[in-house]
Amino acid sequence: MNTQQKDLSYFRLRLQELLNSSFPEKAHDEKFIHQRSSWATNAYEGAFRSGNPVEQCDYIAEYILFENLHFSKFDTIFQVVCNEFDTQMADEELRPFALKIFSVCEAIFENYKLTDDFAYGYEFDLLYTELTGTIAIWIEENGLQ
C-alpha cells in the first residue's frame, strides 16, 4: 500500500486551525500554509539554537506564522451577521450564512487599509455600517435561502 506522508507539524496545524476558523479564503492555499509553517519552524529552530528561552522561540515563530493574520474579513462579516441579523435565522445558520455572504462583501474591504489593529480604529465603525447595509440589501433582494 502506497501511503503519502503528510506534514503534521505543530505550526502547520496551528496555522490551519486559524485559517479554517477566521480566514476561509486562505484555508486551502497549500503554498501559503507550507511556506508560513516552514518559516515558523525555521525561525523557532534558529532562535532555539541561538540560546533563546522556549517562550521567546515561540514568540518569534508565532510572529512569523500569524503575520498579517490578526484582522479577519470573515470574522468581521460573521460579527455583523451575529449582531445585526441573528433574529432572522437560527444560531446554527449564522456561520454558513456568513460564509455564503463573504464573496458579496469582500469588495467592500478594498476601500479600507486593513492592518492587524484595524478593528480598533475609527474606520472600523464605517466598515461595520457599510457591511450591515450591504448584507441587509442582499437579504432584501435574495432572501435568506
Side-chain angles (χ1 to χ4, degrees), residues 134-145:
T134 299
I135 294 169
I137 291 168
W138 190 91
I139 291 172
E140 188 176 304
E141 293 175 352
N142 300 287
L144 291 173
Q145 324 176 26

Side-chain angles (χ1 to χ4, degrees), residues 71-137:
F71 179 79
S72 164
K73 295 175 187 178
F74 175 75
D75 285 349
T76 304
I77 292 168
F78 185 53
Q79 178 184 2
V80 170
V81 168
C82 289
N83 292 346
E84 308 299 331
F85 303 98
D86 64 323
T87 59
Q88 297 180 26
M89 58 190 93
D91 287 350
E92 62 272 6
E93 296 172 331
L94 295 171
R95 183 172 171 83
F97 180 76
L99 285 167
K100 178 165 66 172
I101 201 78
F102 182 82
S103 62
V104 173
C105 296
E106 197 164 18
I108 295 168
F109 291 95
E110 293 175 13
N111 299 322
Y112 298 90
K113 185 174 191 253
L114 303 176
T115 60
D116 283 348
D117 59 352
F118 179 79
Y120 308 107
Y122 70 94
E123 283 193 312
F124 180 78
D125 293 337
L126 298 172
L127 172 65
Y128 187 98
T129 302
E130 194 171 348
L131 288 170
T132 302
T134 299
I135 294 169
I137 291 168

Side-chain angles (χ1 to χ4, degrees), residues 46-61:
F48 187 77
R49 285 190 195 127
S50 296
N52 288 291
V54 171
E55 297 81 16
Q56 184 66 23
C57 296
D58 282 336
Y59 176 81
I60 292 167

